[in-house]
Amino acid sequence: MSLEGDCDKMMENAWLIPLFPLLSFVLLLIFGRRLKENGAYVGMLATLASLLLSIMVLLERLQGENVKIEGTWLTIGNTSLTAGFEVNQLNALMLFIVSLVSFLVHMYSKGYMQGDERIPVFYSYLGLFTFAMLSLVISPNLLQVYIFWELVGLGSFLLIGFYFFKPEARAAAKKAFIVTRIGDVGLFIGMILLFWQVGSFEYDEIFAAVAAGSIDPFWITLTAILIFIGAVGKSGQFPLHTWLPDAMEGPTPVSALIHAATMVAAGVYLVASLFPLFSASPTAMTVVATVGGITAIFAASIGLVQKDIKRVLAYSTVSQLGYMMLALGAAGYVAGVFHLMTHAFFKALLFLAAGSVIHAVHTQNIEEMGGLWKKMKLTAPLFLIGTLAISGFPLLSGFFSKDEILIVAWADGRYGLFWLAVGAAFFTAFYMFRLFFMVFTGESRGEHGDHAHESPGVMTFPMIVLGILAIVSGYVNTPWFGTFLGDWLTEGSTVLGHGHIEGPGWIMFVATGVSLAGIVLAWLMYGSKLLSRDWLVKPFPVGYKVLYNKYYIDEIYHAIVVLGTRTIGLILQVVDTYIVGGLVKGTAALTQGIGRAGSKLQDGQIQTYGTVAFFGLAVLVVIIALTGGYLG
């Protein structure tokens, strides 16, 4: 067992943080039927304990050093595999974010899921998922990460498919599980290759080998890209993004948990935690940045025309994750982590506020909403705060973190990706305010709108907390108040980069300008309605159809992967039945025929045997005569 740095008791006990949700999972599994709706309090108390301990660990890490405690798990030959936990700047921040959002989601679910007879089951799934995610972020080596990485996938499968009696939910759960497994194969191969090259799964030893140049650049690039494929699956990056919007079939609190700070953030966290490996390969960094930039604009364009409130938010999540990957690929370690933090707060707020709306109007179709500002006096302004934050409106959290990403993209010389990110920022502001105006302004267009009312306090309190954080969290890394986050994240670490990179002043004005332009355009079309909603659809009907159908990616996958696999299977079945089977049957028939013919000769008649022998002797004499008595 090793202990690095001076650590206080609280940091030494950081391993308890994931155990509280695990305890709630076990208790609800055993006593859930007896507890019924009171099972919610078990989950809430467990995640509250994790949150309080996470806050204490974060406060101690702000003033202390890293802590790493491990013990030998398995010994195979001369190789020892270790297990333990580590607390550094990155995962101390992640522990706080994950436990906070998880606790707020647990509290919110008490009101949202009220009356559901399977509440104990729901909270047990939440506990399992939270345990897996918290364990993942404090894992000190890749093997341990992979174990909890897969457990996170299992938890998401259970939560997305919670309404298992709905075919759509079952299909979405299977899709999420299968698509993310594709990425996980890349992660697994990359992890094994790294072990082959380094002889260890430990982060410290991998980074030391990279720094010492003992790994060939080819293997650094290959392993980094393979690991990134795993991150692509978990974080819904193009082209493995298709599972994430479909995951909206799960309960809305699940959407907030999965799409804010936990499962989808796992991929970004993985790249950030292995940043010294990625930064050693310019090719790998280019791949990460390019995939991130394409994903940002790709998903944002789809969000322009969607009509389901949760799907709009889902595609916005995919787009924002693309921003984070773009930042990391452009050597903006701090910018990517900064946006991960701010996004966790305003996206969780948006999903919980969307759940409050759905809870009030009993529909997810924004075409059937409207006029809710007057009836939901807390949800509406809180949703507006989240919308302003994600749109990059000045002085809110998203404004600072997006500006940081644009600066690092420009500073790294990735000008094409920079302008893609600017375009995505415009799209984001437009589709988010399209959503806001259609839901909260105008007149009610749905049958339940007239009876809509504000959600109970157990649902609005978590939104208020997140609303405050969506406003103030951006200030922890600004030149105005000191770039504390960035300086702290990189202090004493092997991560290259700085807390704040100075860029051209015009970038901030461009970012603000496109954000305001998107808001104004959305107001003209959906607020004041001075512009027709169809003014762009009519001249470009094909483009609208392509966007509405999500670029037909699912249909392409169905045609290539599903139908292609079925076709190959059918061909193999035909080959097996008619060719392989025919050869086998033909061989059997020939053998049987020869056997029958031979059996007729063996009839037990001495006259027949004599005739055959005489005939054979005659043939032999003829052959000898023709060859002149010589054979050979």
Side-chain angles (χ1 to χ4, degrees), residues 188-255:
F188 182 76
I189 297 173
M191 182 179 75
I192 296 301
L193 289 177
L194 265 181
F195 182 81
W196 175 48
Q197 290 291 310
V198 180
S200 174
F201 290 113
E202 298 295 316
Y203 284 148
D204 294 343
E205 295 189 28
I206 292 171
F207 299 157
V210 171
S214 56
I215 307 178
D216 188 90
F218 169 79
W219 292 110
I220 291 178
T221 299
L222 179 61
T223 53
I225 291 175
L226 286 168
I227 290 171
F228 177 62
I229 292 173
V232 166
K234 271 288 191 289
S235 290
Q237 299 293 283
F238 178 85
L240 299 180
H241 67 283
T242 55
W243 69 268
L244 202 148
D246 287 8
M248 296 297 100
E249 294 297 334
T252 301
V254 171
S255 303

Side-chain angles (χ1 to χ4, degrees), residues 102-122:
S102 180
F103 169 66
L104 295 176
V105 167
H106 273 72
M107 178 183 290
Y108 178 94
S109 299
K110 178 69 173 67
Y112 189 88
M113 302 296 291
Q114 189 172 10
D116 194 308
E117 61 182 16
R118 297 179 65 232
I119 280 185
V121 177
F122 179 74

